[in-house]
Amino acid sequence: TGISLNNNNVGGVYFTHGSLFCLTHMLAASKNFYNYCTNKKVIGFCKNIFGNEFRLKSLRYYENFGGQHMMWHTDNRLHLKTEKGGTHTTSPGIIFLAYLTDVEDGEFQYIKGSHVWSGKNTHHDYTVDFINNNYKKDIIGFKGKKGTVLIYNSWGVHRAKPTTNKNFVRKTLFFQIEKDVRHSEPILLNSGFINNLDDDVKMLLGFGKESTNKVYPTTDIYTMPLNRRVSSIIFKWLLSRLILYFPGFLRKRIRKVYSIPSNK
């Protein structure tokens, strides 16, 4: 986790000005996640919901930080590569969330019954005032211990509860499965993780099918936070460039003091 600059490996990104960290390509980074995502119990559960055809749409590990204010929203939308904004989908879907830390604050919140009324419109985002004025009594919070798994309808309105604790971090695994097999984000897969490749796994992972959706979240240098860790990395990078013009004995001393590796 954390910032990854010019690192030739699978790395994570910061979103919404640093209030959310995501590692999207978990199937390239973690064999444990691959085993979890393709588990026969997961596939069997999805067959009970969707029948014999469905597809993994998106996945990620993410961290919510204190001070953020996530909007109430649904996940029944497409982020097609050919379009700028999200597009409404009528395809049924479910989402698996797994807490990787004990969660007593900043927990996942869900509006009871919202998967019914949200499907009557094409809205995906809802203000706090709208929810408080119309559905406050239906808000359910899900605190839980590390290892808690939540499964919910992708049409349901939900969010991470805001918290003012600046030291707060909620670590969570996420993956979404939908009945519509035409759409998915691009999936990077480490072939060394595969030990159970059968027709169900091929179907779930969309083998041979086009990836029509953009990778989420969309990020660039401007969504990266300017915190102590990032500032330290940038400072060391600038210093490593400047000391190339210093005498050799001084370069060695500065590298040792600031733990700057030598150029190769």
Side-chain angles (χ1 to χ4, degrees):
T1 63
I3 196 68
S4 177
L5 293 174
N6 204 34
N7 184 0
N8 194 10
N9 204 339
V10 177
V13 295
Y14 286 93
F15 187 48
T16 59
H17 305 292
S19 64
L20 181 69
F21 172 83
C22 287
L23 177 53
T24 299
H25 300 296
M26 286 296 293
L27 290 175
S30 170
K31 189 177 189 303
N32 284 333
F33 183 85
Y34 172 85
N35 292 341
Y36 166 52
C37 190
T38 63
N39 188 278
K40 289 187 180 298
K41 290 184 179 179
V42 170
I43 292 175
F45 184 87
C46 291
K47 284 185 175 181
N48 288 333
I49 301 294
F50 302 124
N52 290 321
E53 194 172 45
F54 44 88
R55 184 178 179 184
L56 180 65
K57 176 186 174 182
S58 58
L59 56 131
R60 53 190 164 270
Y61 162 83
Y62 67 92
E63 297 178 357
N64 296 103
F65 302 113
Q68 73 164 8
H69 295 279
M70 182 182 292
M71 287 191 69
W72 290 100
H73 64 280
T74 66
D75 289 324
N76 58 331
R77 70 180 92 187
L78 300 172
H79 294 279
L80 298 176
K81 297 176 182 178
T82 56
E83 299 180 3
K84 290 185 178 180
T87 302
H88 183 71
T89 177
T90 58
S91 175
I94 54 174
I95 292 170
F96 292 73
L97 283 188
Y99 289 160
L100 297 187
T101 50
D102 293 344
V103 177
E104 293 298 328
D105 190 14
E107 67 272 16
F108 174 82
Q109 292 182 308
Y110 188 91
I111 307 299
K112 183 180 179 180
S114 58
H115 64 288
V116 177
W117 55 258
S118 75
K120 297 177 182 179
N121 58 60
T122 58
H123 302 313
H124 301 115
D125 297 308
Y126 300 85
T127 65
V128 172
D129 287 342
F130 174 82
I131 295 299
N132 286 341
N133 290 335
N134 296 278
Y135 299 102
K136 187 174 182 179
K137 62 179 176 55
D138 296 324
I139 297 175
I140 303 175
F142 293 87
K143 298 179 180 181
K145 296 294 184 180
K146 174 182 177 180
T148 297
V149 177
L150 309 174
I151 305 173
Y152 64 95
N153 192 308
S154 63
W155 294 23
V157 180
H158 61 280
R159 71 171 182 178
K161 181 183 178 183
T163 173
T164 58
N165 180 4
K166 296 296 184 180
N167 297 319
F168 170 82
V169 182
R170 194 191 89 192
K171 302 177 180 180
T172 312
L173 291 176
F174 167 106
F175 65 89
Q176 181 172 349
I177 296 176
E178 289 189 352
K179 184 174 180 59
D180 188 348
V181 299
R182 296 172 299 170
H183 303 292
S184 171
E185 292 181 14
I187 291 176
L188 302 185
L189 174 63
N190 186 330
S191 61
F193 296 163
I194 302 174
N195 54 10
N196 58 345
L197 189 59
D198 55 23
D199 289 341
D200 284 339
V201 173
K202 290 179 182 178
M203 171 194 62
L204 175 69
L205 299 182
F207 271 55
K209 292 184 173 63
E210 182 183 2
S211 296
T212 58
N213 292 8
K214 301 172 186 176
V215 175
Y216 181 88
T218 301
T219 58
D220 54 32
I221 190 94
Y222 300 105
T223 65
M224 189 172 67
L226 186 59
N227 55 27
R228 182 179 297 179
R229 184 176 183 183
V230 174
S231 299
S232 175
I233 293 172
I234 293 174
F235 170 75
K236 287 184 179 181
W237 177 82
L238 288 171
L239 189 59
S240 71
R241 302 281 75 78
L242 290 174
I243 64 176
L244 294 177
Y245 301 98
F246 294 178
F249 75 94
L250 188 55
R251 287 201 302 269
K252 291 181 180 179
R253 183 172 297 179
I254 293 174
R255 285 184 179 129
K256 184 176 181 180
V257 170
Y258 291 100
S259 301
I260 299 173
S262 60
N263 295 323
K264 296 182 180 179

